[in-house]
Every structure is written in C-alpha cells, then in structure tokens.
Amino acid sequence: MTSPRTDLAAFAVELAARLPGPWTSEYQRHARYADQFPLAEQLWDLGHVDHIVSQYVLNHDAVLHGPDSQRLYVTDRPLYPRQFVVAPLEPDGDGICPHHFAGVQEPNGIAVSNAPARAAFQVTRRLLPRYEQALHRVLRNAATEPELPHRPAPPQVAQTLTLTYYSDGALGVPYESVPAEARLALYAHGFQYHPHQAAFLLPAAYGEDGRALRVQAVAQQLAAQGIGVNLRAAPQGAAPPATSARPAAPAPAGVSVAARHR
C-alpha cells in the first residue's frame, strides 16, 4: 500500500524553522493548472525541478523567504510520496535585469526527504552554498553594471572602400572608387588591377575561404588607417565592372599587373 503523502504546508513550516537564519513559509494552493506558472517562471533551475513544474500538474507549492532576499520553492516530487523538491527562485528585486545573470551558473534544486530535520540538513549542506554564491554574483553584477553594457558605436570615418560580389562571381571594386591610401593594402593582400575592367579584383583561385581571409585582412589594415570597409552584393542582373578606356593604374614597385591593354 502506498504511503500517504506528507502535508506540504506543515512540512514547509518545519523546514523553514530548521534552516540557518530567519526563514518564513508562504503556502498556496492552486485553483487552476495555470496558477503554478508564475512561480515556475522564476525557478532558478535547469534540472529535474524545472522538468517537474513543466510536465506535471501541481496542486500547491510553498515559498520559503530567508535572509538577504533568498527564496526557496518547495513542492511535491511526483511519483515519490516520501520526497519533496526544493529549488532556488531567481532574485526579483528592483534593478535586477536579465544581463545580470550572464555567466552565472544556475544553482538548481534538489530532492529532499519528507522528514523536516533531514531535509533541512540536505538543503543547508547541498543547496544553500551554491545558491548563495550564485545570488552574490548576480547582485554584484547588478551593482557594477546596472545598465546593459552596449557596445559603443563605430567611429566615424572620412573614407570608405566598398567591395562588391558581382553576379559572375568576381569580388572587387572599381578603380575610381578606391581611396588612394587603400590601394597598397589591396595589392598586399592579393587584389590585382585589371585595366580592361578598370577594377581591382581578388582572384577566384584563392577559393571562398582564402578570399574571406584576405578581405578580413584588408578590412583590419584599412580600419587601422581610418578607412571603413563595406562588403555588398551587386544588384541582381548587374554587370561586372564595365570595360573602360581609363589608363592602367601604376602598380607599386615589384607588384605585377594582372592584365594589360592589347
């Protein structure tokens, strides 16, 4: 014969009386299934307690209120009439924001005996230390970073280089739109000047990964010079850089030009 389940309200009061420091118990019975969700959403648990409250209909629960705004959630452990589960609740004080939990591991809950003295020992030994540590970190984060640490806006640049992926697979930029200070960086990272297209193009022979690394290197070098770099795709159906009668741009010493007028 299955043993009758211990009364949760009485158990929570006895457990609170045996925990270190001043603790009080607040019991509530649920008239509807949805009534268990407000507390369930505050659970600081990614383990079996979270599974229980999301998968089972729980008719009641209790919240233990302790020192330093600590709160413990207590409810039945389904299928185990001689056990309860106890789990921390997230701090809900003013000024606590989601980003304050970043990098803080969930303290998670535990299953405890229905004997209050033994349960108090289990909570004190296994749960409270990691709960207090996690709570301390969150409160410290709230004190040191009250606002979300947004990244600063990018610096303004006087010149910009826009590289384009053309519909024929070419990656490059028309010569006339290249700032003079950026030409050497393009040559240094494998771009070749094609006079008959009046453009700097990055050879497809480097492969997609190779071209991506070279574009990244160009962007980093030009950023250090205060030149912004954009990467765009040409509009659908747009032609590659048009042939131009513009004379070939002189390459730096020791750098070959990919093609010459014939």
Side-chain angles (χ1 to χ4, degrees):
M1 180 177 178
T2 303
S3 302
R5 183 173 287 280
T6 302
D7 179 68
L8 174 61
F11 171 81
V13 171
E14 292 293 326
L15 176 60
R18 288 169 169 79
L19 294 178
W23 287 82
T24 59
S25 174
E26 178 185 359
Y27 173 82
Q28 59 181 351
R29 179 166 289 279
H30 305 313
R32 302 173 304 156
Y33 172 50
D35 292 343
Q36 73 187 49
F37 295 148
L39 276 179
E41 292 174 354
Q42 300 176 51
L43 273 179
W44 208 356
D45 180 282
L46 290 180
H48 64 280
V49 181
D50 179 69
H51 173 78
I52 286 171
V53 299
S54 63
Q55 298 297 321
Y56 291 89
V57 177
L58 304 172
N59 296 320
H60 55 181
D61 53 42
V63 176
L64 307 187
H65 299 269
D68 301 322
S69 301
Q70 296 179 72
R71 296 185 301 152
L72 295 176
Y73 173 86
V74 186
T75 194
D76 301 324
R77 186 182 186 190
L79 309 180
Y80 294 85
R82 295 185 178 182
Q83 292 185 359
F84 294 98
V85 291
V86 183
L89 293 175
E90 294 179 346
D92 62 350
D94 293 338
I96 301 296
C97 301
H99 70 274
H100 297 144
F101 293 86
V104 180
Q105 186 174 3
E106 289 77 7
N108 293 332
I110 60 174
V112 299
S113 165
N114 63 354
R118 184 177 179 186
F121 176 80
Q122 292 171 316
V123 171
T124 302
R125 184 75 177 270
R126 297 171 50 201
L127 177 57
L128 288 183
R130 63 174 183 252
Y131 176 33
E132 291 170 355
Q133 182 179 30
L135 182 60
H136 174 73
R137 289 192 60 188
V138 170
L139 296 178
R140 182 181 61 192
N141 291 344
T144 57
E145 291 187 348
E147 301 296 332
L148 191 64
H150 295 289
R151 295 287 183 179
Q156 297 295 319
V157 293
Q159 300 182 90
T160 301
L161 173 71
T162 299
L163 300 174
T164 302
Y165 273 107
Y166 294 97
S167 57
D168 64 347
L171 171 61
V173 54
Y175 173 85
E176 62 184 10
S177 65
V178 179
E181 297 85 348
R183 294 170 190 163
L184 186 59
L186 293 178
Y187 280 121
H189 294 290
F191 281 80
Q192 298 175 357
Y193 178 67
H194 290 250
H196 60 286
Q197 296 188 61
F200 287 97
L201 298 176
L202 191 59
Y206 291 128
E208 287 303 312
D209 291 343
R211 293 206 295 183
L213 290 173
R214 290 170 185 273
V215 169
Q216 182 181 26
V218 167
Q220 290 177 342
Q221 181 173 337
L222 295 184
Q225 298 175 221
I227 301 175
V229 177
N230 296 323
L231 183 62
R232 298 180 182 175
Q236 195 69 21
T243 301
S244 171
R246 184 185 185 95
V255 179
S256 62
V257 177
R260 299 189 180 277
H261 287 298
R262 288 182 171 82

